[in-house]
Amino acid sequence: MNILFASETEKAEFWLPLLQQALPKDKISVSFENPVDVALVATPPAGTLGKLKGVKLIQSLWMGVEKLLADPEYPKGVPLARLIDPGMVAAMSETVLSHVLDWHRHHYRYRAQKAKVEWRRYKQYLAADRTIGILGMGELGSDAARKLLALGFRVAGYSRRPKNLAGVQSFTDLEAMLPLCNALVCLLPLTAGTRGVLNAKTLSLLKPHSCLINVARGGHLVVEDLVRALDSGHLGHAYLDVFDAEPLPTSSPLWKHPGVTITPHSAALTEPRTAIAKVVENVERVRRGETPLHLVDFAAGY
Amino acid sequence: MNILFASETEKAEFWLPLLQQALPKDKISVSFENPVDVALVATPPAGTLGKLKGVKLIQSLWMGVEKLLADPEYPKGVPLARLIDPGMVAAMSETVLSHVLDWHRHHYRYRAQKAKVEWRRYKQYLAADRTIGILGMGELGSDAARKLLALGFRVAGYSRRPKNLAGVQSFTDLEAMLPLCNALVCLLPLTAGTRGVLNAKTLSLLKPHSCLINVARGGHLVVEDLVRALDSGHLGHAYLDVFDAEPLPTSSPLWKHPGVTITPHSAALTEPRTAIAKVVENVERVRRGETPLHLVDFAAGY
């Protein structure tokens, strides 16, 4: 089969040798070899999608596919698969745990004290005293939930459809869940229904001194509402990895806000060493005429 | 029995109601009621230890007992028990995980970038790419090791006697272990043999850009050697919770060093809600004439 690798962000020199080794009989290339059977894409060069009519599968190299879905050139009728990369899932849980623990152990406060040469201890809480709310209980949310539970935290999970995960209190009503939460982790896909979900109303429902962790998409957060919730003292700290415009413009007030931790969309990167098996599995499914895994539901938007 | 509660750091108003509820038949007091059967101590007021001759057990309310052992007033022959508090053990693992993940996910670097309004992503490593070395494989070290292993890190453990913990590479030769480590966590008791163990030589053996996490005692670390290892670029970051003098004097160069995170001896506090059962168990053992748990080996110094 002919496999096209089209990405301006993922490095071909990492991916191609691993792909070629795993798929020795296929022709894998960064240029079009007609007919293309499978296209592997992540921020494809302009004009690429328009040339993919008739392709059997477009396999995203990322988990989030909202940009592909929003592209008017997306070839109607071509199935699109998300990449569920175990290395990326593990990386996301590491990031979530890092931020939850930074907040839970008051490390963000102790850093502010260090700048002022101040030695003061805050009250210690047990993990069981804290409820961590997770928005989005798919692969990422479930893995983070399991790891938080293992440390003794209480976990509440919000999703469109009720989920049954041992130890997690499941909600489909967001406003019912938020008042229980000391920390809120956003792992939702960005869709018309989730855009702006982190706003003045939802943030106000969290317990006082909660933290917000947004590792999903910038579009989930209303930045002015967050700044107001931090400045009023209602929220303790915010950990933001994603922004409407990236790199975050130097003019953004978030850079100078002491209540915000900024990471450069680095919460979880696709890891070729672990992702390759998942890409190969879907290529083999196409070859055998089977349904690929993790196909996007175009109506739901993820 | 008469139980004396003697501490200038632990709050009697927290402990006494919980103790009295769990030991309704005993007389628990902050003043001497002769004869004292069991003394519960943590930084006892000056002169207290000298009056405890003939007491059946001195139960520390802390895990570290080096100050009690060094006190010339300690009443010879009176058994001393350390407190192994499950809440405190869990807290220490939270702190260790928080610092390891902060370093592993480059969060300390992203914070420095934020101050410079800089957006740059560092290479992502898998947890399995990193070996975390733990000094001291007792209750604290074993719990931290288990939780690091669950996240996929490699763990190497150093202890005086070889330990057998599934998944952990055990060392009794420190210099053999250090060259494998990307991060080093000190959880040792402070004894004549471990004082100054974190020095120019041992730090130089770690892999480049490693982090050091000292959550044991200030006496384990040679501060000048650490500063030199950070300034040379050999070490990536240091997370210090404990210091020779506490509060850390405002004149310490550590306060202004950008490569050092300082927390106010807050890594793990005794948690009365979980500790009380352990104290009660030892009181009951004394009542029944049995050997208390976690007795200190005066020769080993812990």
Side-chain angles (χ1 to χ4, degrees):
Chain A
M1 295 201 301
N2 288 326
I3 300 177
L4 173 70
F5 181 94
S7 177
E8 290 186 331
T9 46
E10 294 296 319
K11 289 180 178 158
E13 65 265 34
F14 273 150
W15 284 86
L16 260 56
L18 294 167
L19 284 166
Q20 197 64 72
Q21 191 178 8
L23 297 163
K25 292 173 295 184
D26 297 312
K27 177 142 181 69
I28 304 162
S29 169
V30 293
S31 57
F32 279 83
E33 303 277 343
N34 280 315
V36 171
D37 295 287
V38 175
L40 311 179
V41 304
T43 333
T48 306
L49 290 175
K51 294 188 217 153
L52 296 177
K53 282 193 188 72
V55 164
K56 291 169 190 148
L57 175 67
I58 296 178
Q59 170 71 57
S60 170
L61 298 177
W62 287 357
M63 200 137 176
V65 292
E66 77 284 355
K67 279 191 192 158
L68 293 172
L69 292 176
D71 193 317
E73 288 196 357
Y74 190 91
K76 294 246 175 327
V78 175
L80 172 64
R82 300 162 72 214
L83 180 65
I84 310 294
D85 161 24
M88 197 263 211
V89 171
M92 187 62 94
S93 290
E94 290 168 5
T95 296
V96 168
L97 285 183
S98 180
H99 294 324
V100 167
L101 290 169
D102 189 78
W103 160 83
H104 171 60
R105 299 300 312 175
H106 308 300
H107 291 164
Y108 70 101
R109 295 168 124 174
Y110 293 139
R111 280 194 296 274
Q113 286 190 177
K114 188 194 175 212
K116 295 185 285 177
V117 189
E118 196 174 297
W119 178 281
R120 188 158 62 103
R121 202 181 279 160
Y122 289 93
K123 176 173 160 43
Q124 171 178 280
Y125 292 87
L126 296 177
D129 297 330
R130 313 280 212 174
T131 297
I132 316 300
I134 299 180
L135 304 183
M137 288 299 289
E139 308 275 343
L140 297 174
S142 308
D143 191 71
R146 249 177 284 124
K147 289 169 179 169
L148 288 164
L149 287 169
L151 294 181
F153 290 99
R154 294 170 194 270
V155 177
Y158 164 79
S159 47
R160 272 200 314 158
R161 286 179 293 259
K163 291 278 163 72
N164 191 2
L165 188 68
V168 176
Q169 205 179 345
S170 170
F171 289 85
T172 53
D173 177 353
L174 183 57
E175 297 193 359
M177 179 178 96
L178 295 174
L180 305 177
C181 298
N182 302 100
L184 189 64
V185 181
C186 182
L187 285 167
L188 289 165
L190 185 61
T191 66
T194 67
R195 183 171 289 278
V197 66
L198 306 170
N199 56 44
K201 175 68 186 295
T202 51
L203 296 177
S204 76
L205 292 173
L206 295 170
K207 284 188 191 291
H209 315 300
S210 292
C211 78
L212 174 69
I213 300 170
N214 188 17
V215 282
R217 288 291 181 260
H220 289 117
L221 174 66
V222 182
V223 170
E224 315 82 90
D225 290 0
L226 169 69
V227 170
R228 225 168 282 134
L230 287 165
D231 290 346
S232 74
H234 175 62
L235 281 193
H237 199 75
Y239 300 86
L240 306 180
D241 186 55
V242 287
F243 305 90
D244 266 331
E246 295 178 4
L248 180 63
T250 54
S251 60
S252 167
L254 295 172
W255 285 110
K256 298 292 176 198
H257 200 293
V260 177
T261 291
I262 290 176
T263 48
H265 202 142
S266 57
L269 310 179
T270 298
E271 171 61 47
R273 288 178 288 169
T274 55
I276 219 84
K278 301 295 167 176
V279 171
V280 168
E281 160 135 31
N282 265 359
V283 169
E284 297 297 352
R285 282 174 173 252
V286 169
R287 198 194 311 282
R288 297 192 301 259
E290 295 169 10
T291 305
L293 296 176
H294 306 302
L295 284 183
V296 168
D297 172 346
F298 287 88
Y302 68 95
Chain B
M1 295 201 301
N2 288 326
I3 300 176
L4 173 70
F5 181 95
S7 177
E8 290 185 331
T9 46
E10 295 295 320
K11 290 181 179 158
E13 65 265 32
F14 272 151
W15 284 85
L16 261 57
L18 293 167
L19 285 166
Q20 198 62 74
Q21 191 178 5
L23 297 163
K25 293 173 294 183
D26 298 311
K27 178 140 179 68
I28 304 162
S29 171
V30 294
S31 56
F32 280 82
E33 303 278 342
N34 282 315
V36 171
D37 297 286
V38 176
L40 312 179
V41 305
T43 332
T48 305
L49 290 175
K51 295 186 218 155
L52 295 178
K53 283 191 187 74
V55 165
K56 293 170 190 145
L57 175 69
I58 296 178
Q59 169 71 56
S60 170
L61 297 177
W62 288 356
M63 199 137 177
V65 291
E66 77 283 355
K67 280 191 190 156
L68 293 171
L69 292 177
D71 194 317
E73 290 196 353
Y74 191 90
K76 295 247 173 327
V78 175
L80 171 65
R82 299 161 72 215
L83 179 64
I84 309 293
D85 161 24
M88 195 263 212
V89 172
M92 187 61 95
S93 290
E94 290 168 5
T95 296
V96 169
L97 285 184
S98 180
H99 294 324
V100 166
L101 290 169
D102 189 78
W103 160 81
H104 171 59
R105 300 300 311 175
H106 309 299
H107 291 164
Y108 71 100
R109 296 168 124 174
Y110 293 139
R111 279 193 299 274
Q113 287 191 176
K114 187 194 176 213
K116 295 185 284 177
V117 189
E118 195 175 299
W119 179 280
R120 188 158 63 104
R121 202 181 278 162
Y122 289 94
K123 175 173 161 41
Q124 172 178 280
Y125 293 87
L126 295 177
D129 297 330
R130 313 280 213 174
T131 297
I132 316 301
I134 300 181
L135 303 183
M137 289 299 290
E139 308 275 343
L140 296 175
S142 308
D143 191 71
R146 248 177 287 122
K147 288 170 180 170
L148 287 164
L149 287 170
L151 294 180
F153 290 99
R154 294 170 193 270
V155 177
Y158 164 79
S159 47
R160 270 198 317 155
R161 286 178 293 261
K163 292 279 163 70
N164 191 1
L165 188 68
V168 176
Q169 206 179 344
S170 171
F171 290 85
T172 54
D173 177 352
L174 183 57
E175 297 192 2
M177 179 180 95
L178 295 174
L180 305 177
C181 298
N182 303 99
L184 188 66
V185 181
C186 182
L187 285 166
L188 289 166
L190 184 62
T191 68
T194 67
R195 184 172 290 278
V197 65
L198 306 170
N199 56 44
K201 175 68 187 293
T202 51
L203 296 177
S204 76
L205 293 173
L206 295 169
K207 284 188 192 289
H209 315 302
S210 291
C211 78
L212 173 70
I213 300 170
N214 188 17
V215 282
R217 287 292 182 261
H220 289 116
L221 174 67
V222 182
V223 170
E224 315 82 271
D225 290 0
L226 170 69
V227 170
R228 224 167 283 135
L230 287 165
D231 290 347
S232 75
H234 176 61
L235 281 193
H237 199 76
Y239 300 87
L240 306 180
D241 187 56
V242 287
F243 306 90
D244 266 332
E246 296 178 2
L248 180 63
T250 54
S251 60
S252 167
L254 294 173
W255 283 111
K256 298 291 178 202
H257 200 292
V260 177
T261 292
I262 291 176
T263 49
H265 203 142
S266 58
L269 310 179
T270 298
E271 170 62 47
R273 288 178 288 169
T274 54
I276 219 85
K278 302 294 168 178
V279 172
V280 168
E281 160 135 32
N282 266 359
V283 169
E284 297 297 353
R285 281 173 173 255
V286 168
R287 197 194 313 282
R288 296 192 301 259
E290 296 169 9
T291 307
L293 297 175
H294 307 302
L295 284 183
V296 169
D297 172 347
F298 288 88
Y302 67 97

